[in-house]
């Protein structure tokens, strides 16, 4: 791997709020040599836009002349920028320990309020693969009607519709990622299934190569998580 740490794998939890994502994060973190960080306000989306802009400027212009409107583009190096961003993200955002084997984060800001369509969502998720080579995706969904009754979704003017479209987009993204990246990279999980039967989550994580320890996972999922006034699995 270009990170210089060939024994490290990456994992991203891709979901929406009130979907069981914190319980899922905790279940992964219960495993040794695993660090899955929490939400970061989709900070990496800004890096995506930055790399895209640098790549576009380098591709469309090639000037080293100080009087040219695109002065400096001749020496732009998008792959070098991406490699530098990778080092930054690992060091300052994900912060692995010396023995960390699985590293990643979860994010819930994938609903249509953040990504208007499945194509834009998929494009960003593919950027994560460029940034964190070989990243595995756990795309987690929940029944829209159930999620809409939970937490702050109750204040959303059209929560069920927004969540239905989000679930559709996440499913489409999972299919496209599998088509592009091949098998063993994407697990599409459903909260209702794995919260009722942890073996469903065991199977999903095993399918992407995560070294599941069933006892640790089941013990973690049996632990009730507190979220203030909206206490429940999230």
């Amino acid at each position: 791997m270009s990170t210089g740490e060939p024994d490290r794998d990456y994992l991203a939890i891709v979901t929406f709020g009130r979907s069981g994502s914190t319980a899922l994060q905790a279940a992964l973190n219960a495993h040794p040599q695993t660090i899955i960080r929490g939400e970061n306000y989709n900070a990496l989306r800004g890096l995506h836009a930055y790399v895209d802009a640098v790549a576009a400027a380098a591709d469309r212009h090639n000037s080293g002349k100080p009087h040219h409107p695109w002065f400096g583009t001749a020496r732009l190096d998008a792959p070098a920028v991406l490699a530098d961003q990778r080092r930054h993200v690992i060091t300052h955002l994900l912060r692995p320990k010396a023995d960390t084997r699985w590293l990643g984060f979860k994010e819930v800001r994938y609903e249509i309020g953040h990504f208007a369509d499945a194509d834009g969502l998929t494009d960003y998720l593919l950027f994560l693969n460029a940034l964190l080579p070989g990243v595995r995706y756990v795309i987690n969904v929940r029944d829209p009607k159930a999620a809409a009754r939970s937490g702050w979704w109750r204040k959303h003017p059209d929560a069920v519709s927004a969540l239905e479209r989000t679930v559709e987009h996440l499913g489409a993204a999972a299919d496209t990622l599998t088509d592009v990246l091949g098998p063993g990279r994407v697990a599409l999980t459903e909260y209702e299934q794995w919260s009722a039967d942890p073996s469903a989550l065991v199977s999903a994580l095993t399918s992407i190569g995560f070294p599941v320890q069933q006892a640790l996972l089941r013990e973690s999922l049996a632990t009730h998580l507190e979220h203030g006034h909206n206490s429940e699995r999230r």
Side-chain angles (χ1 to χ4, degrees):
M1 271 185 196
S2 57
T3 61
E5 300 183 56
D7 293 330
R8 179 171 295 152
D9 290 299
Y10 301 103
L11 188 150
I13 299 174
V14 179
T15 187
F16 49 86
R18 313 309 295 177
S19 65
S21 63
T22 303
L24 183 53
Q25 173 192 322
L28 289 166
N29 279 326
H31 290 75
Q33 298 180 302
T34 300
I35 294 179
I36 306 300
R37 300 294 184 187
E39 301 160 36
N40 54 52
Y41 283 112
N42 238 345
L44 305 189
R45 204 171 172 191
L47 301 186
H48 181 208
Y50 179 58
V51 171
D52 274 0
V54 170
D59 181 59
R60 298 172 189 173
H61 306 280
N62 188 31
S63 177
K65 299 177 180 179
H67 61 273
H68 193 278
W70 292 91
F71 173 50
T73 49
R75 301 191 66 178
L76 289 179
D77 186 344
V81 170
L82 183 65
D84 194 49
Q85 287 186 340
R86 182 179 302 120
R87 289 188 291 270
H88 173 90
V89 168
I90 291 171
T91 300
H92 299 290
L93 186 70
L94 301 181
R95 306 187 313 281
K97 297 179 180 179
D99 66 344
T100 300
R101 176 69 176 80
W102 283 82
L103 181 66
F105 67 99
K106 73 120 168 174
E107 184 55 74
V108 302
R109 291 163 181 82
Y110 292 104
E111 71 266 16
I112 60 170
H114 296 279
F115 291 91
D117 55 48
D119 289 343
L121 172 59
T122 303
D123 184 55
Y124 172 67
L125 294 176
L126 285 171
F127 165 74
L128 293 185
N129 180 61
L131 184 69
L132 303 172
V135 64
R136 270 66 155 207
Y137 307 86
V138 178
I139 299 181
N140 183 62
V141 298
R142 183 184 183 183
D143 175 66
K145 292 184 175 62
R149 294 192 296 268
S150 178
W152 41 262
W153 278 112
R154 288 174 291 189
K155 298 179 181 179
H156 191 286
D158 195 12
V160 173
S161 176
L163 286 164
E164 287 176 342
R165 291 165 62 194
T166 297
V167 169
E168 180 182 347
H169 292 170
L170 288 169
D175 289 342
T176 302
L177 288 172
T178 299
D179 289 342
V180 173
L181 302 176
R185 297 291 300 279
V186 182
L188 182 60
T189 60
E190 297 182 17
Y191 169 78
E192 286 78 13
Q193 289 185 353
W194 58 257
S195 62
D197 181 7
S199 65
L201 185 56
V202 171
S203 296
L205 294 175
T206 300
S207 74
I208 58 172
F210 185 79
V212 182
Q213 295 186 28
Q214 291 198 39
L216 293 177
L217 183 141
R218 290 176 182 274
E219 181 181 2
S220 178
L221 291 181
T223 302
H224 185 73
L225 298 175
E226 298 294 331
H227 293 295
H229 297 298
N230 298 317
S231 174
E232 69 167 293
R233 281 182 180 160
R234 175 182 169 195

